[in-house]
Amino acid sequence: PPRRPPPPPPSGASPVLKERAQGVPPVLFVGNHQLYGFSDLPLVVEEILAQRGALVRALAHPVAFSSSRTTAGANATATGGGGGGGGGLVDFETFGAVPVSGKALFKLLSRGEHTLLYPGGVREAFKSTKRGESYQLFWPDASESADFARVAARFNATIVPVAAVGAEEGFEMLLDADELLALPFLGGRVKEGAARAPVGRPGERFVSPVSLPKLPGRYYFLFGAPIATGGVDARDKAACAALYSQVQRELEEALQYLLSKRDADPYQEVLPRVAVEASWNWGRQVPTFRP
């Protein structure tokens, strides 16, 4: 059914998200990819639209927009998921997404558009939970690539870290990317298929782990404190690298905070949560923690 018009922002709400016509700098939301990444973008974009009435333009992996993405994702998981692009499960264009690139980020922020970026890309979405990589960030080193910080500073964008936890417990990983590539015969086929996939970042490896779905748990999101970029000179490489590292550090801290809060949540598992919400005739959700 069609969604109701978004409600006006609550009284006293942060003025960070406002219409472009009001002259407020754009907001660059910077998040972490959970395993496979297909749920990250639409959930964040839809919730911001529902709660604040602001459309956020997300940058998604080019495979999400490729007519051949099914072929390119021939090595997809048993769940059908694909990192950073969704493997066809989600029509990201419905959410206003565009293929990720430095040029696209520049254009969006130059037009004052609120934007969502996942710097960890495919490497972060295709992490190995078998090797203890859950909820780790896999960003390029700040000394090598601080591009989003430089572009944000160029347009005086406000950066908001967005931490997400919960998706990775919904899968039982059978083979991670390295194990898949090491398989006789099949590994070579997977490597060939990955080489044909559209590239979001030079040198990336589009090889999806193989997993089976499990009963999903609860998802947790935390929007961090806004980080102003007005005092950062976009031409100063050291200052932009420091800003990049600050955003990364705050996002890592937010992830650890969510994981600790989740451990104390009595409604973390689906059955207790469903039982309580059913007793309320599905009229409201069970409570969550307050930051």
Side-chain angles (χ1 to χ4, degrees):
R3 174 180 287 278
R4 291 177 298 175
S11 175
S14 168
V16 170
L17 281 175
K18 285 190 176 182
E19 295 297 328
R20 287 181 289 161
Q22 294 180 262
V24 176
V27 177
L28 174 59
F29 295 93
V30 178
N32 65 292
H33 261 322
Q34 300 181 86
L35 182 61
Y36 298 120
F38 58 78
S39 64
D40 299 327
L41 183 158
L43 290 177
V44 171
V45 170
E46 186 174 25
E47 188 65 13
I48 294 174
L49 179 62
Q51 295 295 327
R52 307 305 298 275
L55 175 63
V56 174
R57 303 296 302 279
L59 295 160
H61 194 279
V63 78
F65 308 92
S66 171
S67 60
S68 60
R69 64 178 177 260
T70 301
T71 301
N75 59 316
T77 70
T79 67
L89 284 180
V90 178
D91 180 4
F92 281 15
E93 291 181 87
T94 299
F95 294 89
V98 298
V100 64
S101 69
K103 184 177 181 180
L105 176 62
F106 187 96
K107 284 187 173 181
L108 289 172
L109 293 184
S110 71
R111 297 200 299 257
E113 303 231 34
H114 304 313
T115 307
L116 172 62
L117 176 69
Y118 293 94
V122 165
R123 173 62 183 92
E124 198 167 282
F126 289 165
K127 68 192 75 173
S128 173
T129 56
K130 298 179 69 176
R131 300 175 189 265
E133 295 180 352
S134 294
Y135 303 113
Q136 291 185 23
L137 301 184
F138 291 92
W139 292 14
D141 188 83
S143 62
E144 300 174 2
S145 176
D147 285 352
F148 81 74
R150 178 178 56 81
V151 177
R154 167 69 175 78
F155 297 108
N156 192 27
T158 300
I159 299 177
V160 175
V162 184
V165 165
E168 298 186 6
E169 287 70 27
F171 302 96
E172 181 68 34
M173 187 171 291
L174 305 179
L175 293 170
D176 64 25
D178 289 335
E179 292 171 327
L180 192 57
L181 288 171
L183 292 176
F185 180 69
L186 181 59
R189 297 288 299 274
V190 168
K191 185 175 182 180
E192 292 174 3
R196 294 192 296 269
V199 175
R201 175 182 295 152
E204 72 178 14
R205 183 181 68 175
F206 197 89
V207 178
S208 169
V210 175
S211 299
L212 291 175
K214 299 193 301 185
L215 194 65
R218 195 175 195 184
Y219 283 29
Y220 303 80
F221 293 86
L222 180 64
F223 290 77
I227 301 172
T229 64
V232 178
D233 186 348
R235 298 166 296 181
D236 187 333
K237 291 184 178 180
C240 290
L243 174 61
Y244 178 99
S245 297
Q246 178 189 357
V247 177
Q248 184 177 22
R249 183 173 60 253
E250 294 197 12
L251 185 54
E252 288 172 334
E253 292 174 354
L255 287 169
Q256 293 306 310
Y257 176 81
L258 284 179
L259 290 170
S260 66
K261 286 292 188 178
R262 181 179 68 171
D263 290 342
D265 183 5
Y267 303 112
Q268 176 187 162
E269 302 299 332
V270 65
L271 293 181
R273 190 166 69 253
V274 167
V276 172
E277 291 181 355
S279 71
W280 295 339
N281 199 28
W282 311 107
R284 56 194 174 103
Q285 294 182 335
V286 295
T288 187
F289 67 87
R290 292 187 178 276

